[in-house]
Amino acid sequence: MTLNTTFLDCHRERENNSRVESLPLFGHLSRRKRSGPEASGDEGGGDTEMKRQKTAPVPAPSKKTKQPKECFLTQPKETKEESTKTRKWRKKKITDILAKSEPKPGTPEDLQKLIKDYYSSNRSVIELEELNLPDSCFLKANDLTHSLSSYLKEMCPKWVKLRKNHTEKKSVLMLILCSSAVRALELIRSMTAFKGDSKVMKLFAKHIKVQEQIKLLEKRAVHLGVGTPGRIKELVKQGGLNLNPLKFLVFDWNWRDQKLKRMMDIPEIRKEVFELLEMGVLSLCKSESLKLGLF
């Protein structure tokens, strides 16, 4: 009995020792099993991923292949040259075109065309034909080589005789139409060589009232009148100016202002001119008692 007990005791002690020695090994293995698959962000998992990234071959970017881009409906950006071109095009005006083009003298056909264009909206075809002026009522147009005095001398060689015979008040022998009062003063100064002893009257609205001009026309006979169509139309309307003795009507046709516009290019002036023509001027032209000139 004593030998068996001692043998059993020794066997039990060996089993206990073996169990104790095997405990840390199993715990370490269990920890490795739990930490490996469950936690992907641990150090062990990170090391394996880094190894895979290092070992995996990275494809070299080719020059021909284009990476995909997101599609957006956007306008292409303008370059500096394109933006300057568009700005220049926006700022381009009719005055720029006229500045580069060569000046062309006005012709009777230009006036005839303007008359048709102005009345085409409210006149019938028959009425438009009645507005056609005969070629005999037009003086020779200025070819841009004349001054006002030289042009009038050539167009009116018998002016001195006409001036002496004219004694009727509230009327003039010659009217010169222009676009502004400043231009009218320039024309009066430039016709000194032609007018001689002729009596000239300013017929514009600047600093002069209509009633004052009517009184001046009633006092004495006037040979030359220089002014704007608006004021001349008002004088005719109020009975201060009679157009029947009128022999010459000259348009300051070719002169251009600072904006390179002629008097007939300005809508307000053009309207007043045509309204004045309807106040007996067209009928006088058809009867060939009145001559039209384009200076």
Side-chain angles (χ1 to χ4, degrees):
M1 290 290 292
T2 57
L3 291 170
N4 292 329
T5 55
T6 55
F7 178 76
L8 289 170
D9 292 334
C10 290
H11 183 69
R12 288 174 181 172
E13 286 179 1
R14 287 179 181 177
E15 288 180 354
N16 291 332
N17 292 330
S18 63
R19 288 176 182 175
V20 171
E21 290 176 358
S22 63
L23 282 174
L25 179 62
F26 290 130
H28 180 66
L29 289 171
S30 64
R31 283 197 301 271
R32 286 185 66 184
K33 287 179 181 179
R34 281 196 299 269
S35 61
E38 291 177 0
S40 62
D42 291 345
E43 293 178 0
D47 294 338
T48 55
E49 289 179 0
M50 289 293 291
K51 289 178 180 178
R52 289 175 183 174
Q53 290 178 1
K54 288 180 180 179
T55 56
V58 180
S62 61
K63 295 183 180 179
K64 294 183 180 179
T65 57
K66 294 183 179 178
Q67 296 184 2
K69 296 182 180 179
E70 295 182 358
C71 296
F72 294 100
L73 296 175
T74 57
Q75 295 181 353
K77 294 183 179 180
E78 295 181 352
T79 59
K80 291 183 179 180
E81 295 179 356
E82 290 179 354
S83 61
T84 52
K85 286 181 181 179
T86 52
R87 285 176 187 172
K88 287 181 180 179
W89 181 80
R90 286 174 186 172
K91 291 182 179 179
K92 198 171 185 180
K93 297 180 180 179
I94 189 171
T95 53
D96 300 330
I97 300 171
L98 292 172
K100 295 179 182 179
S101 62
E102 295 180 359
K104 295 181 180 179
T107 59
E109 289 77 13
D110 296 336
L111 180 58
Q112 297 273 32
K113 185 178 181 301
L114 284 177
I115 292 173
K116 286 184 179 180
D117 293 342
Y118 182 79
Y119 292 107
S120 60
S121 59
N122 54 8
R123 299 290 177 94
S124 63
V125 179
I126 298 173
E127 289 174 340
L128 289 174
E129 290 179 357
E130 293 177 354
L131 293 174
N132 289 332
L133 298 175
D135 296 336
S136 58
C137 74
F138 286 97
L139 298 171
K140 185 180 177 182
N142 181 23
D143 58 356
L144 303 180
T145 60
H146 286 283
S147 64
L148 182 58
S149 292
S150 63
Y151 176 73
L152 294 178
K153 283 181 179 180
E154 185 177 343
M155 297 300 106
C156 313
K158 298 180 180 180
W159 173 252
V160 178
K161 185 178 179 180
L162 288 172
R163 174 176 59 82
K164 290 180 179 179
N165 295 331
H166 178 69
T167 57
E168 188 175 350
K169 297 178 181 179
K170 297 174 65 174
S171 64
V172 293
L173 286 173
M174 180 184 292
L175 274 177
I176 300 176
L177 299 181
C178 58
S179 58
S180 65
V182 177
R183 178 58 180 167
L185 295 174
E186 292 177 359
L187 291 173
I188 292 171
R189 287 193 293 267
S190 64
M191 61 189 299
T192 305
F194 170 77
K195 66 179 181 179
D197 296 332
S198 303
K199 294 179 181 178
V200 183
M201 188 169 178
K202 304 169 186 175
L203 301 177
F204 48 78
K206 194 172 184 179
H207 307 305
I208 306 174
K209 296 181 180 179
V210 179
Q211 298 301 325
E212 293 178 1
Q213 291 173 338
I214 292 175
K215 290 178 181 179
L216 291 173
L217 289 168
E218 290 175 348
K219 283 183 181 180
R220 58 185 182 181
V222 180
H223 305 110
L224 283 165
V226 184
T228 56
R231 175 49 61 93
I232 295 171
K233 183 188 71 173
E234 189 65 27
L235 290 170
V236 175
K237 187 177 179 180
Q238 295 191 18
L241 181 63
N242 183 16
L243 295 178
N244 289 328
L246 187 64
K247 298 300 180 184
F248 301 99
L249 179 62
V250 180
F251 295 90
D252 186 26
W253 190 275
N254 298 303
W255 182 80
R256 298 181 185 271
D257 58 8
Q258 292 180 352
K259 296 181 179 180
L260 298 177
K261 290 184 178 181
R262 300 173 299 181
M263 62 175 292
M264 298 302 284
D265 295 331
I266 304 170
E268 296 81 5
I269 302 295
R270 184 169 62 248
K271 180 182 177 182
E272 291 173 348
V273 167
F274 290 128
E275 289 176 353
L276 179 61
L277 293 179
E278 287 184 299
M279 292 181 171
V281 175
L282 293 176
S283 59
L284 291 173
C285 291
K286 290 180 181 179
S287 64
E288 297 186 359
S289 64
L290 177 63
K291 301 291 184 181
L292 300 178
L294 304 180
F295 173 66

